[in-house]
């Protein structure tokens, strides 16, 4: 009971820690994203508001420019004015009518632009065209103005002058002036100037009528403040602690800035943060209650599973976990445990059968090794007698047969491919001169790089015996042929033994492959598989493991191709 309570407390503490961490992991990034989103939205709103004000100011100054362009391109105005200055004793009545028309046009076009003042100054002074209440400076000529040289260089374009002194009036405060020259109709030199002014108080009134919804500051290109509705402390403090936006008009050069203090920003999102934290607290409490109930449901099944695991550790593989609840994870845990126990039992059984199979293979090999001493001595005697009797072929056959017995008796079970090929050549010599297949033809194509490949002894001879036993018949006119090849293929050595015998059907190939799979599954007896092929397959699998492969390719009357693919193992690496 104490152990179970300890486990429950441990699980309880870990669960609480995970819940708290999960809430923190969710809440902190959420608050950061909320703050970033709020900042972006405020900046977006400020930029849109600033852009709207900028557009309205640009529209105001563009309308003034359009008015000036209309006046300065009206021939009914420009032509009499040109003649007025160019022709002595010009009819003054025509000029007066032109001035009256110009004045009327300007008043009509500036009627709805509150605070806008205009006047027209000629080469020699004021013309009788104005809308101002200011006292006219009759001594003013354009040549004395600071802006005169600018229009001499480029008389075709309107110019905006901030903080203009307005010397064309006797006493007037500085203002924003928009000046456009009226060019001579022939020389295009300025002969008069249309001047429109808006004083700074009138400019501020105009901005106030726009009703800006955010704190803004408007500056001219030199940095002088034209308008500001911001808290003075915000105007002097650092921008680093503010949400700062700034836009500059490409038409007028006027810059509009907006600051939002951090305190105001925090105040705006604090209520949202409070709601989020409250929701997270409720969520934490609910999750805690649910986890507490769930842990009690988890504890007993896990405890029973632990008891079953202890029994397995003591060697009892007949135990099985049992769970009748509806929790999928515990069902999966129970099934995994039972699969593990079953797999362990199967693995032990497979290991036992593999060892038994290995022992049986060794016994089979021992059974093939009859005591050859007497037989070998008898062959030597027969060979000597054959030489005495003059039968050289019989003597060579006895020598080859003795070599076969010597090779089979050598103690090492692992040899090189070169040794195995020499053994096959002795075996084929006897087969070629035998009465069974006197016309057999053997073609060997052995890659020299494969000669030092290590393989189990006497694994290729059964493949040749299979050709003689099952591949060749006694058909007249048929010349038996066998091809033996070896090559390097990536990290493997490929060995092929082919014949031109009767071949196998697809059903026979399927049964052969299936029977070898039974050998791979450590089945002790594999019906339908020749003893030679089973012996070869077992020994190669024991030596190379799962990295070895044997395959067959055949068709009726087209012979059989046996392909062995074994990993490269050199003699020096093996030692």
């Amino acid at each position: 009971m104490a152990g179970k309570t300890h486990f429950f407390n441990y699980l309880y503490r870990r669960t609480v820690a995970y819940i708290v961490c999960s809430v923190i992991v969710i809440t902190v990034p959420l608050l950061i994203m909320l703050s970033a989103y709020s900042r972006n939205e405020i900046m977006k709103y400020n930029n849109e508001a600033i852009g709207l004000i900028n557009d309205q100011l640009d529209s105001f100054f563009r309308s003034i420019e359009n008015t000036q362009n209309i006046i300065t391109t009206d021939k009914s105005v420009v032509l009499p004015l040109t003649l007025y200055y160019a022709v002595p004793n010009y009819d003054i009545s025509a000029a007066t009518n032109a001035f009256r028309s110009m004045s009327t046009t300007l008043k009509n076009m500036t009627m709805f632009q509150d605070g806008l003042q205009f006047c027209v100054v000629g080469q020699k002074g004021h013309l009788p065209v104005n809308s101002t209440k200011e006292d006219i400076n009759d001594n003013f000529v354009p040549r004395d103005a600071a802006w005169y040289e600018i229009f001499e260089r480029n008389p075709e374009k309107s110019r905006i002058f901030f903080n203009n002194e307005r010397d064309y009036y006797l006493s007037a405060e500085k203002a924003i002036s928009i000046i456009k020259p009226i060019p001579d109709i022939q020389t295009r030199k300025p002969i008069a100037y249309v001047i429109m002014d808006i004083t700074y108080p009138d400019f501020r009134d105009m901005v106030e009528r726009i009703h800006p919804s955010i704190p803004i500051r408007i500056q001219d290109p030199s940095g002088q403040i034209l308008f500001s509705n911001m808290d003075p402390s915000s105007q002097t403090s650092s921008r680093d602690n503010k949400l700062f936006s700034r836009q500059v008009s490409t038409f007028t050069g006027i810059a509009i800035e907006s600051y939002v203090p951090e305190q105001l920003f925090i105040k705006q999102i604090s209520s949202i943060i409070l709601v989020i934290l409250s929701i997270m607290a409720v969520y934490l409490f609910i999750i805690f209650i649910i986890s507490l109930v769930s842990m009690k449901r988890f504890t007993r099944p896990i405890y029973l599973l632990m008891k079953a695991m202890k029994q397995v550790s003591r060697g009892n593989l007949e135990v099985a976990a049992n769970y009748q609840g509806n929790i999928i994870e515990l069902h999966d845990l129970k099934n995994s445990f039972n699969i593990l126990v079953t797999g362990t039992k199967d693995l032990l059984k497979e290991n036992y059968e593999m060892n038994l199979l290995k022992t049986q293979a060794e016994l089979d090999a021992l059974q093939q090794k009859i005591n050859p001493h007497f037989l070998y001595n008898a062959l030597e005697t027969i060979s000597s007698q054959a030489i005495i009797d003059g039968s050289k072929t019989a003597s060579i056959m006895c020598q080859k047969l003795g070599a076969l017995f010597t090779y089979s008796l050598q103690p090492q079970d692992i040899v090189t491919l070169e040794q195995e090929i020499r053994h096959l050549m002795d075996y084929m010599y006897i087969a070629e001169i035998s009465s069974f297949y006197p016309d057999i033809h053997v073609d060997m194509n052995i890659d020299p790089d494969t000669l030092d490949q290590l393989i189990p002894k006497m694994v290729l001879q059964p493949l040749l015996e299979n050709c003689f036993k099952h591949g060749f018949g006694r058909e007249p006119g048929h010349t038996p042929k066998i091809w033996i090849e070896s090559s390097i293929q990536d990290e493997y050595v490929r060995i092929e033994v082919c014949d031109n015998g009767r071949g196998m059907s697809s059903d026979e190939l399927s049964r052969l492959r299936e029977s070898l799979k039974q050998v791979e599954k450590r089945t002790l007896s594999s019906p339908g598989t020749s003893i030679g092929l089973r012996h070869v397959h077992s020994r190669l699998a024991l030596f190379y493991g799962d990295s070895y492969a044997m395959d067959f390719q055949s068709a009726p009357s087209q012979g059989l191709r046996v392909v062995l693919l074994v990993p490269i193992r050199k003699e020096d690496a093996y030692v």
Side-chain angles (χ1 to χ4, degrees), residues 199-263:
T199 63
Y200 287 110
D202 291 334
F203 180 84
R204 287 190 287 270
D205 291 341
M206 180 183 66
V207 176
E208 286 288 354
R209 288 193 294 272
I210 298 177
H211 301 292
S213 58
I214 58 174
I216 62 171
R217 177 190 302 154
I218 302 178
Q219 298 175 332
D220 65 16
S222 66
Q224 179 180 348
I225 297 177
L226 305 179
F227 173 84
S228 177
N229 63 352
M230 300 176 64
D231 186 0
S233 62
S234 299
Q235 299 186 30
T236 58
S237 57
S238 173
R239 295 179 182 178
D240 296 338
N241 298 325
K242 308 290 185 299
L243 294 170
F244 175 73
S245 300
R246 175 184 172 89
Q247 290 185 15
V248 179
S249 171
T250 57
F251 177 68
T252 63
I254 292 176
I256 304 179
E257 300 175 348
S258 174
Y259 297 104
V260 177
E262 290 285 350
Q263 294 80 3

Coordinates of all heavy atoms in Angstrom, one line a residue, residues 199-263:
T199 N -2.3 81.8 -42.8 CA -1.5 82.1 -41.6 C -1.5 80.8 -40.7 O -2.3 79.9 -40.9 CB -2.1 83.3 -40.8 OG1 -3.4 82.9 -40.4 CG2 -2.1 84.5 -41.7
Y200 N -0.6 80.8 -39.8 CA -0.4 79.6 -39.0 C -1.7 79.4 -38.1 O -2.1 78.3 -37.9 CB 0.8 79.7 -38.1 CG 2.1 79.5 -38.9 CD1 3.0 80.5 -39.2 CD2 2.4 78.2 -39.4 CE1 4.1 80.3 -40.0 CE2 3.5 78.0 -40.2 CZ 4.4 79.1 -40.5 OH 5.5 78.8 -41.2
P201 N -2.3 80.5 -37.5 CA -3.5 80.2 -36.7 C -4.6 79.7 -37.6 O -5.4 78.8 -37.2 CB -3.9 81.6 -36.2 CG -2.6 82.3 -36.1 CD -1.8 81.9 -37.3
D202 N -4.7 80.2 -38.9 CA -5.7 79.7 -39.8 C -5.4 78.2 -40.2 O -6.3 77.4 -40.4 CB -5.8 80.5 -41.1 CG -6.4 81.9 -40.8 OD1 -7.2 82.0 -39.8 OD2 -6.1 82.9 -41.5
F203 N -4.2 77.9 -40.3 CA -3.8 76.5 -40.7 C -4.1 75.6 -39.5 O -4.7 74.5 -39.7 CB -2.3 76.4 -40.9 CG -1.8 75.1 -41.3 CD1 -1.8 74.6 -42.5 CD2 -1.2 74.2 -40.3 CE1 -1.4 73.3 -42.8 CE2 -0.8 73.0 -40.5 CZ -0.9 72.5 -41.8
R204 N -3.9 76.0 -38.3 CA -4.3 75.2 -37.1 C -5.8 75.0 -37.0 O -6.3 73.9 -36.7 CB -3.7 75.8 -35.8 CG -2.2 75.6 -35.7 CD -1.7 76.0 -34.3 NE -1.7 77.5 -34.1 CZ -0.7 78.3 -34.4 NH1 0.4 77.8 -34.9 NH2 -0.8 79.6 -34.2
D205 N -6.5 76.1 -37.3 CA -8.0 76.0 -37.3 C -8.4 75.0 -38.4 O -9.4 74.2 -38.2 CB -8.6 77.3 -37.6 CG -8.4 78.3 -36.4 OD1 -8.1 77.8 -35.3 OD2 -8.5 79.5 -36.6
M206 N -7.8 75.0 -39.5 CA -8.2 74.1 -40.6 C -7.9 72.6 -40.2 O -8.7 71.7 -40.4 CB -7.3 74.4 -41.9 CG -7.7 73.5 -43.0 SD -6.7 73.8 -44.5 CE -5.0 73.3 -43.9
V207 N -6.8 72.4 -39.5 CA -6.5 71.0 -39.0 C -7.5 70.6 -38.0 O -7.9 69.4 -37.9 CB -5.0 70.9 -38.5 CG1 -4.7 69.5 -37.9 CG2 -4.0 71.2 -39.6
E208 N -7.8 71.5 -37.1 CA -8.8 71.2 -36.1 C -10.1 70.8 -36.7 O -10.8 69.9 -36.1 CB -9.0 72.4 -35.1 CG -7.9 72.7 -34.2 CD -7.8 71.7 -33.1 OE1 -8.7 70.8 -33.0 OE2 -6.8 71.7 -32.3
R209 N -10.5 71.4 -37.8 CA -11.8 71.1 -38.4 C -11.7 69.7 -39.0 O -12.8 69.1 -39.3 CB -12.1 72.1 -39.5 CG -12.5 73.4 -39.0 CD -13.1 74.3 -40.1 NE -12.2 74.6 -41.1 CZ -11.4 75.7 -41.1 NH1 -11.5 76.6 -40.0 NH2 -10.6 76.0 -42.0
I210 N -10.5 69.1 -39.2 CA -10.4 67.7 -39.7 C -10.8 66.7 -38.6 O -11.1 65.6 -38.8 CB -9.0 67.5 -40.2 CG1 -8.7 68.4 -41.4 CG2 -8.8 66.0 -40.6 CD1 -7.3 68.3 -42.0
H211 N -10.7 67.2 -37.3 CA -11.0 66.4 -36.1 C -10.1 65.2 -36.1 O -10.5 64.0 -36.2 CB -12.5 65.9 -36.1 CG -13.4 67.1 -36.1 ND1 -13.6 67.9 -35.1 CD2 -14.3 67.5 -37.1 CE1 -14.5 68.8 -35.4 NE2 -15.0 68.5 -36.6
P212 N -8.8 65.4 -35.9 CA -7.9 64.2 -35.8 C -8.2 63.4 -34.5 O -8.4 63.9 -33.4 CB -6.5 64.9 -35.6 CG -6.7 66.3 -35.2 CD -8.1 66.7 -35.8
S213 N -8.3 62.1 -34.7 CA -8.7 61.2 -33.6 C -7.6 60.7 -32.8 O -7.8 59.9 -31.8 CB -9.5 60.0 -34.2 OG -8.6 59.3 -35.1
I214 N -6.4 61.1 -33.1 CA -5.2 60.6 -32.3 C -4.3 61.8 -32.1 O -4.4 62.9 -32.8 CB -4.4 59.6 -33.1 CG1 -3.9 60.1 -34.5 CG2 -5.2 58.3 -33.3 CD1 -3.0 59.2 -35.3
P215 N -3.4 61.7 -31.1 CA -2.5 62.8 -30.8 C -1.5 62.9 -32.0 O -0.9 61.9 -32.4 CB -1.8 62.4 -29.5 CG -2.7 61.4 -28.9 CD -3.3 60.7 -30.0
I216 N -1.4 64.1 -32.6 CA -0.5 64.2 -33.7 C 0.4 65.5 -33.6 O 0.0 66.4 -32.8 CB -1.2 64.3 -35.1 CG1 -2.2 65.5 -35.1 CG2 -2.0 63.0 -35.4 CD1 -2.8 65.8 -36.5
R217 N 1.4 65.6 -34.4 CA 2.3 66.8 -34.4 C 2.6 67.0 -35.9 O 3.1 66.0 -36.6 CB 3.5 66.6 -33.6 CG 4.5 67.7 -33.7 CD 5.9 67.3 -33.1 NE 5.7 67.0 -31.7 CZ 6.5 66.1 -31.1 NH1 7.5 65.6 -31.7 NH2 6.3 65.8 -29.8
I218 N 2.4 68.2 -36.4 CA 2.6 68.5 -37.8 C 3.8 69.5 -37.9 O 3.8 70.5 -37.2 CB 1.4 69.1 -38.5 CG1 0.2 68.1 -38.4 CG2 1.7 69.4 -40.0 CD1 -1.1 68.6 -39.0
Q219 N 4.8 69.1 -38.7 CA 6.0 70.0 -38.9 C 6.2 70.3 -40.3 O 5.9 69.5 -41.2 CB 7.2 69.2 -38.3 CG 7.1 68.9 -36.8 CD 8.3 68.0 -36.3 OE1 8.9 67.3 -37.1 NE2 8.6 68.1 -35.1
D220 N 6.8 71.5 -40.5 CA 7.2 71.8 -41.9 C 8.6 71.2 -42.2 O 9.2 70.6 -41.3 CB 7.2 73.3 -42.1 CG 8.3 74.0 -41.2 OD1 9.2 73.3 -40.7 OD2 8.2 75.2 -41.0
P221 N 9.1 71.3 -43.4 CA 10.3 70.6 -43.8 C 11.5 71.0 -42.9 O 12.5 70.2 -42.7 CB 10.6 70.9 -45.2 CG 9.2 71.1 -45.8 CD 8.4 71.8 -44.6
S222 N 11.5 72.2 -42.3 CA 12.6 72.7 -41.5 C 12.4 72.2 -40.0 O 13.3 72.4 -39.2 CB 12.6 74.2 -41.5 OG 11.5 74.7 -40.8
G223 N 11.3 71.5 -39.7 CA 11.1 71.0 -38.3 C 10.3 71.9 -37.5 O 10.0 71.5 -36.3
Q224 N 9.9 73.0 -37.9 CA 9.0 73.9 -37.2 C 7.6 73.3 -37.0 O 7.0 72.8 -37.9 CB 8.9 75.3 -37.8 CG 8.0 76.3 -37.0 CD 7.9 77.6 -37.7 OE1 8.6 77.9 -38.7 NE2 7.0 78.4 -37.3
I225 N 7.1 73.4 -35.8 CA 5.8 72.8 -35.5 C 4.7 73.7 -36.0 O 4.6 74.8 -35.6 CB 5.6 72.5 -34.0 CG1 6.7 71.5 -33.5 CG2 4.2 72.0 -33.7 CD1 6.6 71.3 -32.0
L226 N 3.9 73.1 -36.9 CA 2.7 73.8 -37.4 C 1.5 73.6 -36.6 O 0.6 74.4 -36.6 CB 2.5 73.4 -38.9 CG 3.7 73.5 -39.9 CD1 3.3 73.1 -41.2 CD2 4.2 75.0 -39.9
F227 N 1.4 72.4 -36.1 CA 0.2 72.0 -35.3 C 0.5 70.9 -34.4 O 1.3 70.0 -34.7 CB -1.0 71.6 -36.2 CG -2.2 71.0 -35.5 CD1 -3.1 71.9 -35.0 CD2 -2.3 69.7 -35.2 CE1 -4.2 71.4 -34.3 CE2 -3.4 69.1 -34.5 CZ -4.4 70.0 -34.1
S228 N -0.1 70.9 -33.1 CA 0.2 69.8 -32.2 C -1.0 69.7 -31.2 O -1.4 70.8 -30.7 CB 1.5 69.9 -31.5 OG 1.6 68.9 -30.5
N229 N -1.6 68.6 -31.0 CA -2.6 68.4 -30.0 C -2.1 67.3 -29.0 O -2.9 66.7 -28.3 CB -3.9 67.9 -30.6 CG -3.8 66.6 -31.3 OD1 -2.7 66.1 -31.5 ND2 -4.9 66.0 -31.8
M230 N -0.8 67.2 -28.9 CA -0.2 66.2 -28.0 C 0.1 66.8 -26.6 O 0.2 68.0 -26.5 CB 1.1 65.6 -28.6 CG 0.9 64.9 -29.9 SD 2.4 64.4 -30.7 CE 2.9 63.2 -29.5
D231 N 0.2 65.9 -25.6 CA 0.6 66.3 -24.3 C 2.0 66.8 -24.4 O 2.9 66.2 -25.0 CB 0.5 65.1 -23.4 CG 0.8 65.5 -21.9 OD1 1.0 66.7 -21.6 OD2 0.8 64.6 -21.1
P232 N 2.3 68.0 -23.8 CA 3.6 68.6 -23.9 C 4.7 67.6 -23.4 O 5.8 67.6 -23.9 CB 3.6 69.8 -23.0 CG 2.1 70.2 -23.0 CD 1.4 68.9 -23.1
S233 N 4.4 66.7 -22.4 CA 5.4 65.8 -21.9 C 5.8 64.8 -23.0 O 6.9 64.3 -23.1 CB 4.9 65.1 -20.7 OG 3.7 64.3 -21.0
S234 N 4.8 64.4 -23.9 CA 5.0 63.5 -24.9 C 5.9 64.1 -26.0 O 6.6 63.4 -26.7 CB 3.7 63.0 -25.5 OG 2.9 62.4 -24.6
Q235 N 5.8 65.4 -26.1 CA 6.6 66.1 -27.2 C 8.1 66.2 -26.8 O 8.9 66.3 -27.7 CB 6.0 67.5 -27.4 CG 4.6 67.5 -27.9 CD 4.1 68.9 -28.3 OE1 4.9 69.7 -28.8 NE2 2.9 69.1 -28.2
T236 N 8.4 66.1 -25.6 CA 9.8 66.3 -25.2 C 10.4 65.0 -24.7 O 11.6 64.9 -24.6 CB 9.9 67.3 -24.0 OG1 9.1 66.8 -22.9 CG2 9.3 68.6 -24.4
S237 N 9.7 63.9 -24.5 CA 10.3 62.6 -24.0 C 10.8 61.8 -25.2 O 10.5 62.2 -26.3 CB 9.2 61.8 -23.2 OG 8.1 61.6 -24.0
S238 N 11.5 60.8 -24.8 CA 12.2 60.0 -25.9 C 11.2 59.2 -26.6 O 10.2 58.7 -26.1 CB 13.2 59.1 -25.2 OG 13.8 58.2 -26.1
R239 N 11.5 58.9 -27.9 CA 10.6 58.1 -28.7 C 10.8 56.6 -28.4 O 10.0 55.8 -28.8 CB 11.0 58.3 -30.2 CG 10.7 59.7 -30.7 CD 11.1 59.8 -32.2 NE 10.9 61.2 -32.7 CZ 11.2 61.6 -33.9 NH1 11.7 60.7 -34.8 NH2 11.0 62.8 -34.3
D240 N 11.8 56.2 -27.7 CA 12.1 54.8 -27.4 C 11.0 54.2 -26.6 O 10.8 53.0 -26.7 CB 13.4 54.7 -26.7 CG 14.6 55.1 -27.6 OD1 14.4 55.1 -28.8 OD2 15.7 55.4 -27.1
N241 N 10.3 55.0 -25.8 CA 9.2 54.5 -25.0 C 7.8 54.7 -25.5 O 6.8 54.7 -24.8 CB 9.3 55.1 -23.6 CG 10.6 54.7 -22.9 OD1 11.1 53.6 -23.1 ND2 11.2 55.7 -22.1
K242 N 7.7 55.0 -26.8 CA 6.4 55.4 -27.4 C 6.2 54.5 -28.6 O 7.1 53.9 -29.2 CB 6.4 56.8 -27.9 CG 6.9 57.8 -26.8 CD 5.9 58.0 -25.7 CE 6.2 59.1 -24.8 NZ 7.5 58.9 -24.1
L243 N 4.9 54.4 -29.0 CA 4.5 53.9 -30.2 C 4.5 55.0 -31.2 O 3.6 55.9 -31.2 CB 3.1 53.2 -30.1 CG 3.0 52.0 -29.2 CD1 1.6 51.6 -29.0 CD2 3.8 50.8 -29.8
F244 N 5.5 55.1 -32.1 CA 5.8 56.2 -32.9 C 5.5 56.0 -34.3 O 5.9 54.9 -34.9 CB 7.3 56.6 -32.7 CG 7.7 57.8 -33.6 CD1 7.3 59.0 -33.3 CD2 8.5 57.5 -34.7 CE1 7.7 60.1 -34.2 CE2 8.9 58.5 -35.6 CZ 8.5 59.8 -35.3
S245 N 4.8 56.9 -35.0 CA 4.5 56.8 -36.4 C 4.8 58.2 -37.0 O 4.6 59.2 -36.4 CB 3.0 56.5 -36.7 OG 2.6 55.3 -36.1
R246 N 5.3 58.1 -38.3 CA 5.7 59.3 -39.0 C 5.5 59.1 -40.5 O 5.9 58.1 -41.0 CB 7.1 59.7 -38.7 CG 7.7 60.9 -39.4 CD 9.1 61.1 -39.1 NE 9.7 62.1 -40.0 CZ 9.8 63.4 -39.7 NH1 9.3 63.8 -38.5 NH2 10.4 64.2 -40.5
Q247 N 4.9 60.1 -41.1 CA 4.7 60.2 -42.5 C 5.1 61.5 -43.1 O 4.7 62.6 -42.4 CB 3.3 59.8 -43.0 CG 2.9 58.3 -42.7 CD 1.5 58.0 -43.3 OE1 0.9 58.8 -44.0 NE2 1.0 56.9 -42.8
V248 N 5.7 61.6 -44.2 CA 6.1 62.8 -44.8 C 5.5 62.9 -46.2 O 5.6 62.0 -47.0 CB 7.7 62.9 -45.0 CG1 8.1 64.2 -45.6 CG2 8.3 62.8 -43.6
S249 N 4.8 64.0 -46.5 CA 4.2 64.2 -47.8 C 5.2 64.5 -48.8 O 6.1 65.3 -48.7 CB 3.2 65.4 -47.7 OG 2.7 65.7 -49.0
T250 N 5.2 63.7 -49.9 CA 6.1 64.0 -51.0 C 5.7 65.2 -51.8 O 6.5 65.7 -52.6 CB 6.0 62.8 -52.0 OG1 4.7 62.6 -52.4 CG2 6.5 61.5 -51.3
F251 N 4.5 65.8 -51.6 CA 4.1 67.0 -52.4 C 4.5 68.2 -51.6 O 5.0 69.2 -52.2 CB 2.6 66.9 -52.6 CG 2.0 68.1 -53.3 CD1 2.3 68.4 -54.6 CD2 1.2 69.0 -52.6 CE1 1.8 69.5 -55.3 CE2 0.7 70.1 -53.3 CZ 1.0 70.3 -54.6
T252 N 4.2 68.3 -50.3 CA 4.4 69.5 -49.6 C 5.6 69.4 -48.7 O 6.2 70.5 -48.3 CB 3.2 69.8 -48.7 OG1 3.0 68.8 -47.7 CG2 1.9 69.9 -49.5
G253 N 6.1 68.2 -48.4 CA 7.2 68.1 -47.5 C 6.8 68.2 -46.0 O 7.7 68.1 -45.1
I254 N 5.5 68.3 -45.7 CA 5.0 68.4 -44.4 C 5.1 67.0 -43.7 O 4.7 66.0 -44.3 CB 3.6 68.9 -44.3 CG1 3.5 70.3 -44.8 CG2 2.9 68.7 -43.0 CD1 2.1 70.9 -44.9
A255 N 5.6 66.9 -42.5 CA 5.7 65.7 -41.8 C 4.7 65.6 -40.6 O 4.5 66.6 -39.9 CB 7.1 65.5 -41.2
I256 N 4.0 64.5 -40.5 CA 3.0 64.3 -39.5 C 3.5 63.1 -38.6 O 3.8 62.0 -39.1 CB 1.6 64.0 -40.1 CG1 1.2 65.1 -41.0 CG2 0.6 63.8 -38.9 CD1 -0.2 64.9 -41.6
E257 N 3.6 63.4 -37.3 CA 4.0 62.4 -36.3 C 2.9 62.1 -35.3 O 2.1 63.0 -35.0 CB 5.3 62.8 -35.6 CG 6.4 63.1 -36.5 CD 7.6 63.7 -35.8 OE1 7.4 64.1 -34.6 OE2 8.7 63.7 -36.4
S258 N 3.0 60.9 -34.8 CA 2.0 60.5 -33.7 C 2.7 59.7 -32.7 O 3.5 58.8 -33.0 CB 0.8 59.7 -34.3 OG 0.0 59.2 -33.3
Y259 N 2.5 60.0 -31.4 CA 3.1 59.2 -30.3 C 1.9 58.6 -29.5 O 0.9 59.3 -29.2 CB 3.9 60.1 -29.4 CG 5.1 60.7 -30.1 CD1 5.2 62.0 -30.5 CD2 6.3 59.9 -30.3 CE1 6.3 62.6 -31.1 CE2 7.4 60.4 -30.9 CZ 7.4 61.8 -31.3 OH 8.5 62.3 -31.9
V260 N 2.1 57.4 -29.0 CA 1.2 56.8 -28.1 C 2.0 56.4 -26.9 O 2.8 55.5 -27.0 CB 0.4 55.6 -28.6 CG1 -0.5 54.9 -27.6 CG2 -0.4 56.0 -29.8
P261 N 1.8 56.9 -25.7 CA 2.7 56.6 -24.5 C 2.5 55.1 -24.2 O 1.4 54.5 -24.4 CB 2.2 57.5 -23.4 CG 1.5 58.6 -24.2 CD 0.9 58.0 -25.4
E262 N 3.5 54.5 -23.6 CA 3.4 53.1 -23.1 C 2.3 52.9 -22.1 O 1.6 51.9 -22.1 CB 4.8 52.7 -22.6 CG 5.9 52.5 -23.6 CD 5.7 51.2 -24.4 OE1 4.8 50.4 -24.0 OE2 6.4 51.1 -25.4
Q263 N 2.1 53.9 -21.2 CA 1.1 53.8 -20.2 C -0.3 53.7 -20.8 O -1.1 52.9 -20.3 CB 1.2 55.0 -19.2 CG 2.4 55.1 -18.4 CD 3.6 55.7 -19.2 OE1 3.5 56.1 -20.3 NE2 4.8 55.7 -18.5

